[in-house]
Amino acid sequence: KSTETQTLQNGLKEKKQRLEENTNKLTEVDRLISEIEQTIKRKKNADDYSEKLDEERIALEELSIKYNQSKEAYESAEQKFNAAQAGILASKLIEGSPCPVCGSIHHPQVASLSNDVPSETKIKKLKDTMESIHQKEQKQSEAVTASQTKFDFENNEFNQSFTQVLSAVHLIDEFKNVGSFEELVHANEILIQQKSAIEFQNKEKEILESRIDKTDIDLKNIEKSKAETNNSIQELTNHLNRRHGE
């Protein structure tokens, strides 16, 4: 029984030693997963800022179109208003009398007075609208610049992280051909599976350690029982020898 227990204990210790080799691997896998997931996070940040930058650019383009339209409307109205002023003045000119503007007494081609003349109130409203849109356009342009700066920073952080983590991943034969971000994500999924397997084995190691401790106690008890039995046999033998001597 003692020999069988010792054999079992030796087998358990060998298995425990093999499982302990996974500890260093788990540490390396855990570190690599952390680096990859940090790279994935940076990619997401860069993508988010890229999407926001596109939205900001679209908004700026829309405001630019609105500003050009409002400017054109204002300038057209102002031109009509100014032309109307010339027409009003021309309607008061008398041949032979000097023009209050140029002083000429002859007026061969006077400006006509249009019926479609915008009011000063309307012109002011068009100007206010144009200036308001222009301010929004400038503010939006600043937002585009800020989003561009943030995107450039996050994208640069991702590129650096991606390059570094690829170097680390390529040290593992299984992943030496990983080249794209998508392949890196897939490699991370495999590493997570490997981590789970190692962690399961570590739990098995804890069970083995418990069993080894128990077999140690069993061996000690067996050795103690064996010693006690040997002592009893020796005492009995001595007693029998004394009786024969009498």
Side-chain angles (χ1 to χ4, degrees):
K1 184 177 180 181
S2 175
T3 303
E4 292 176 355
T5 305
Q6 183 67 53
T7 301
L8 173 62
Q9 188 187 49
N10 291 338
L12 291 175
K13 287 183 177 180
E14 289 177 4
K15 190 170 184 180
K16 177 186 173 185
Q17 184 176 0
R18 290 195 301 271
L19 291 174
E20 284 178 344
E21 294 174 358
N22 286 332
T23 301
N24 292 335
K25 184 177 181 181
L26 177 61
T27 301
E28 178 62 22
V29 168
D30 214 18
R31 181 189 65 79
L32 196 53
I33 288 174
S34 177
E35 291 181 3
I36 293 175
E37 290 183 345
Q38 184 65 27
T39 301
I40 293 173
K41 181 179 178 181
R42 284 172 174 159
K43 178 67 165 62
K44 183 180 183 305
N45 289 342
D47 288 345
D48 288 345
Y49 278 116
S50 177
E51 183 177 346
K52 185 177 181 180
L53 178 59
D54 289 341
E55 293 173 354
E56 300 284 14
R57 283 173 172 169
I58 290 173
L60 178 60
E61 184 177 353
E62 291 174 350
L63 283 171
S64 179
I65 292 173
K66 288 181 179 179
Y67 171 70
N68 289 333
Q69 291 173 342
S70 66
K71 182 180 180 183
E72 183 179 347
Y74 165 69
E75 291 178 346
S76 175
E78 186 178 44
Q79 184 178 10
K80 288 180 180 180
F81 180 80
N82 291 335
Q85 300 309 304
I88 292 173
L89 179 63
S91 66
K92 297 178 180 180
L93 291 177
I94 301 174
E95 184 65 24
S97 297
C99 173
V101 177
C102 66
S104 174
I105 59 173
H106 300 292
H107 318 293
Q109 189 174 356
V110 296
S112 60
L113 182 61
S114 173
N115 294 325
D116 183 22
V117 180
S119 65
E120 290 187 44
T121 301
K122 183 177 181 180
I123 291 176
K124 184 179 183 305
K125 185 176 180 180
L126 288 171
K127 183 178 181 181
D128 290 344
T129 299
M130 177 189 71
E131 290 177 346
S132 175
I133 295 175
H134 186 52
Q135 289 177 355
K136 291 179 181 179
E137 183 187 21
Q138 289 179 322
K139 186 176 180 180
Q140 186 61 34
S141 178
E142 293 172 358
V144 168
T145 300
S147 293
Q148 181 71 59
T149 300
K150 291 177 180 178
F151 167 72
D152 289 342
F153 174 79
E154 291 294 340
N155 195 49
N156 183 61
E157 287 291 301
F158 161 69
N159 286 331
Q160 290 183 2
S161 178
F162 182 66
T163 300
Q164 292 173 358
V165 80
L166 271 189
S167 298
V169 167
H170 287 164
L171 295 177
I172 303 175
D173 289 340
E174 184 178 359
F175 306 125
K176 63 182 180 181
N177 292 324
V178 170
S180 67
F181 176 75
E182 290 73 18
E183 290 172 339
L184 181 64
V185 172
H186 180 62
N188 190 54
E189 293 171 352
I190 296 175
L191 287 169
I192 291 174
Q193 292 174 357
Q194 292 179 355
K195 178 184 176 182
S196 297
I198 294 173
E199 288 175 338
F200 177 79
Q201 291 172 348
N202 282 347
K203 290 181 180 179
E204 185 179 6
K205 185 182 75 171
E206 293 175 3
I207 297 173
L208 284 173
E209 289 173 344
S210 176
R211 291 179 64 186
I212 290 172
D213 291 339
K214 185 177 183 304
T215 54
D216 282 337
I217 294 173
D218 289 343
L219 277 176
K220 289 178 181 178
N221 290 334
I222 290 171
E223 292 299 328
K224 181 179 178 182
S225 177
K226 178 181 177 183
E228 290 174 349
T229 301
N230 288 336
N231 288 336
S232 297
I233 292 172
Q234 186 62 46
E235 289 176 359
L236 180 60
T237 301
N238 292 338
H239 177 71
L240 291 174
N241 289 337
R242 285 195 300 270
R243 289 191 64 180
H244 285 302
E246 292 177 356

